[in-house]
Amino acid sequence: MGLRIEDESGNLNIDFLVGVVIFIGAFLYIIGTIPGFFLPYQTNSVDLGSVVYRTSCLLAEDPGWYVDDVSGVNGTAWEYEDIAKLARVGLAVDKKTPNVLAMDKVSRMSSIPYVLSRDDLGLNNTLVYNYSLKITRFLPDDTDQVLLNISQPSYASNVESIDRTIIIREGEGLYYDNHTFIKGGIAYVDTNATNLSVERHPCFDQTNITVRLTNFVRSNGSYSGFAVYYYVGPYYNDPAKVEAAEGSEYYLFKNGAYMDVADLEFVPFDKGDKLDVVLNMRVIQAKYAALGLNVSRVMLSTVPTAITHQIIAAFPDISLASEVAEDYNLTNPNYRYFDDHGMMTVQVWQV
Amino acid sequence: MTRARNRDGQVYTMEGIVAALIIVVSVMFITSSINLVSPSTEKAVDTKMTIMAQDTLVTLGTVDQPSNFSSVLKRDLVAWTGLEASDTVEVPAGETAIVGLNDQIGEMLPPNVLYNLQVLYWNDLTGTLETKTLIYHGDAQNLTYNALSGSKKIVINDEDTQGIGSSYWKNMAKPKTVEAKLIIWWV
């Protein structure tokens, strides 16, 4: 039974008002919520497979790029530049050798802040992804070494991953009878087998020269009178022989740990030990650069005066040392890249 | 202000509101519970397999000396004397280079993946493209599951066969383009 209104001058019932307001409110709310019903139908983590493949290609096949906004200098050697100049992350040695990663780039990658590396891998666009990266190196003695392990906590249910077979390249140099290798120069052994010499093209290169001695034959230690010499001079003249100063111009490392040259007299060396003689070329070249001289040869000697039996036994591999002097040069089949096989695993998920 | 003589109107409004709310909320719950994650098609697995085969050949074919253009893969293919593998012979006996290559590829691939290695080249005498099988682990054509392949082209020059008298490529016109094809499948 309706209301009985005596006065018909256009009053509205409260009832009617309330009803209409509620109706309009509900109607507008529904209209506003309808687009939200279609949100799950937008592309959302559907293309993770292509994203992870693209990221793995960037890491394994692209050398990366840096740009200096101030000077305009750019290039692929981003591992030696400031992080602020990094434009694109890539670990390959260069674009002509895919799947070969440069060790320096892998080491530098661990010092890049995570968000910057993610952005420079192209994972921060309309959709944002996070990544995790693991690079393992397979060493010749069947052990695995994890070089890089960048991971992020994730609560994503949809993660895509890819494995790439890669090669880790540390540099190039001479494998001295498949045991010793020399990085930074070319080695030769002279006829009386007293010394191991490393030749390099006369240049102002400041790359350190590393001579690694392995496969020691004497197990009860003491290599006395160890000395390192280098030859300095203009290339067209007979170079002068200078003895290198231990501690500033050259360093000894036994199995990666610093060792004093005086310890060589009593520390025993096993067959599996490695002795690295690293010459600090920056210091040595700086000493002679102003005179226009440069270092052409480095020589390692165990005894300043020739005592044959001691010397022949002192060097790790005597079979090569007793041969006639041979010029090892770039075409020698033992001059190779220092490559190790490895595996790179990339994972990507949407945040 | 009018004073209602009966209360019918308010009940209808309340009912209307409640009904509308129930409908809206239920529709909202239903549509937001849809989880649209489209599963990866099998194409993603195929792509990863192809990449695995391609990566294996690329890393074996990487030049390992700064002074020349030789790689492990090239040296082993040059040293091949021409004996083929078949369904009874996994790796031709006497081909030490191919035996070494077989071991190396076996280490690089996961344990539940089998592979065949073929070489394809143009035979100048017959004028046809020939396919020779160097490593045989199964009949890739008749598998009930997908087999995928990756390939790498290698150019063999005179210097590469110098000193290797038994090389299959010794007497062919150089430079010879040879395609090494690695066919892999899951087991």
Side-chain angles (χ1 to χ4, degrees):
Chain A
M1 187 64 185
L3 295 166
R4 214 160 285 165
I5 305 170
E6 275 100 2
D7 184 18
E8 292 184 8
S9 51
N11 289 345
L12 280 175
N13 288 340
I14 290 288
D15 242 357
F16 175 72
L17 266 174
V18 169
V20 160
V21 163
I22 288 171
F23 171 75
I24 289 176
F27 186 72
L28 285 173
Y29 172 74
I30 290 173
I31 296 290
T33 318
I34 280 177
F37 293 158
F38 298 103
L39 272 176
Y41 295 89
Q42 283 180 12
T43 47
N44 184 8
S45 64
V46 175
D47 59 345
L48 270 184
S50 55
V51 172
V52 76
Y53 173 66
R54 177 184 88 204
T55 309
S56 74
C57 277
L58 260 184
L59 287 165
E61 298 174 24
D62 186 77
W65 195 252
Y66 76 91
V67 180
D68 188 344
D69 292 323
V70 169
S71 62
V73 169
N74 53 32
T76 61
W78 57 266
E79 66 271 30
Y80 304 124
E81 301 288 331
D82 204 75
I83 286 293
K85 297 187 201 166
L86 184 64
R88 189 174 72 238
V89 171
L91 301 174
V93 167
D94 61 49
K95 64 181 182 190
K96 288 174 279 192
T97 46
N99 286 53
V100 178
L101 305 191
M103 188 68 186
D104 289 341
K105 290 189 176 158
V106 173
S107 316
R108 191 71 208 273
M109 177 101 187
S110 57
S111 63
I112 300 178
Y114 181 80
V115 175
L116 184 66
S117 64
R118 183 201 59 194
D119 293 351
D120 285 338
L121 277 171
L123 295 173
N124 188 2
N125 296 314
T126 45
L127 296 173
V128 180
Y129 303 91
N130 270 354
Y131 77 98
S132 79
L133 173 65
K134 184 167 175 188
I135 298 181
T136 313
R137 173 160 72 168
F138 305 138
L139 295 172
D141 54 1
D142 276 341
T143 56
D144 293 349
Q145 182 190 22
V146 177
L147 293 176
L148 197 61
N149 196 354
I150 297 175
S151 63
Q152 275 293 94
S154 93
Y155 307 101
S157 54
N158 214 21
V159 177
E160 193 64 72
S161 97
I162 194 169
D163 287 326
R164 301 297 298 260
T165 313
I166 46 150
I167 287 179
I168 310 271
R169 177 164 292 175
E170 273 196 88
E172 61 185 70
L174 192 74
Y175 274 90
Y176 182 81
D177 202 27
N178 273 335
H179 296 295
T180 310
F181 71 80
I182 291 99
K183 184 171 167 187
I186 302 151
Y188 82 91
V189 179
D190 62 13
T191 42
N192 57 5
T194 55
N195 310 300
L196 177 69
S197 286
V198 179
E199 295 274 358
R200 59 190 296 166
H201 291 297
C203 61
F204 290 104
D205 189 3
Q206 295 195 341
T207 323
N208 289 351
I209 296 179
T210 307
V211 180
R212 173 171 288 183
L213 305 173
T214 58
N215 206 33
F216 288 90
V217 295
R218 284 178 58 170
S219 61
N220 53 354
S222 95
Y223 296 86
S224 62
F226 185 82
V228 179
Y229 300 93
Y230 56 89
Y231 289 74
V232 178
Y235 67 93
Y236 48 83
N237 260 350
D238 282 326
K241 180 170 156 184
V242 178
E243 181 168 350
E246 199 259 342
S248 63
E249 289 176 349
Y250 82 90
Y251 305 93
L252 287 178
F253 294 92
K254 181 185 174 197
N255 293 333
Y258 179 73
M259 187 174 130
D260 214 2
V261 73
D263 292 343
L264 268 178
E265 309 245 343
F266 54 85
V267 166
F269 276 81
D270 294 322
K271 202 165 158 59
D273 284 337
K274 300 184 206 335
L275 179 68
D276 283 339
V277 181
V278 180
L279 274 108
N280 190 343
M281 293 312 291
R282 200 175 50 81
V283 164
I284 295 175
Q285 296 278 26
K287 207 159 122 182
Y288 300 101
L291 303 166
L293 304 171
N294 49 56
V295 173
S296 58
R297 188 197 295 181
V298 165
M299 188 167 80
L300 291 156
S301 171
T302 53
V303 182
T305 57
I307 300 175
T308 316
H309 66 272
Q310 207 168 7
I311 288 152
I312 287 177
F315 272 102
D317 192 283
I318 59 170
S319 60
L320 195 57
S322 58
E323 282 173 22
V324 175
E326 202 179 313
D327 269 321
Y328 287 83
N329 51 34
L330 286 169
T331 60
N332 186 293
N334 286 322
Y335 192 85
R336 291 190 235 138
Y337 290 116
F338 301 140
D339 286 345
D340 279 318
H341 282 270
M343 182 71 82
M344 177 174 84
T345 307
V346 183
Q347 287 182 332
V348 157
W349 61 92
Q350 186 169 6
V351 288
Chain B
M1 185 166 136
T2 19
R3 193 154 295 180
R5 292 286 156 83
N6 62 20
R7 293 179 181 170
D8 293 340
Q10 286 135 344
V11 174
Y12 292 145
T13 311
M14 284 302 293
E15 279 177 354
I17 293 169
V18 170
L21 269 174
I22 287 173
I23 292 173
V24 164
V25 167
S26 62
V27 170
M28 207 170 68
F29 274 136
I30 290 169
T31 51
S32 61
S33 70
I34 296 175
N35 225 349
L36 195 77
V37 177
S38 72
S40 277
T41 63
E42 61 174 43
K43 273 289 177 194
V45 180
D46 286 355
T47 312
K48 288 190 196 174
M49 286 279 281
T50 314
I51 292 168
M52 202 192 300
Q54 195 67 45
D55 276 352
T56 307
L57 284 177
V58 164
T59 44
L60 283 175
T62 301
V63 168
D64 53 1
Q65 276 183 258
S67 56
N68 62 24
F69 300 101
S70 176
S71 61
V72 170
L73 185 64
K74 186 172 187 181
R75 287 194 288 273
D76 287 342
L77 285 183
V78 163
W80 177 57
T81 62
L83 297 172
E84 268 192 86
S86 66
D87 49 358
T88 49
V89 177
E90 186 179 293
V91 176
E95 299 271 10
T96 44
I98 306 298
V99 169
L101 191 61
N102 183 31
D103 290 338
Q104 200 160 4
I105 296 178
E107 274 178 23
M108 289 171 82
L109 294 173
N112 54 346
V113 166
L114 287 180
Y115 56 94
N116 286 353
L117 184 68
Q118 292 180 339
V119 282
L120 288 85
Y121 65 98
W122 183 259
N123 190 328
D124 300 315
L125 299 169
T126 62
T128 54
L129 186 71
E130 287 206 13
T131 306
K132 303 271 184 194
T133 307
L134 265 61
I135 299 174
Y136 187 87
H137 281 116
D139 190 355
Q141 237 97 352
N142 287 329
L143 295 172
T144 53
Y145 27 82
N146 292 335
L148 292 122
S149 70
S151 62
K152 185 154 173 57
K153 287 194 175 49
I154 293 171
V155 177
I156 297 180
N157 292 306
D158 279 319
E159 304 89 70
D160 298 317
T161 53
Q162 226 165 28
I164 305 175
S166 56
S167 170
Y168 183 71
W169 318 102
K170 184 87 181 164
N171 298 321
M172 294 191 191
K174 306 285 189 342
K176 191 103 200 108
T177 307
V178 171
E179 182 182 328
K181 192 161 146 183
L182 185 69
I183 303 161
I184 60 173
W185 63 93
W186 293 104
V187 289

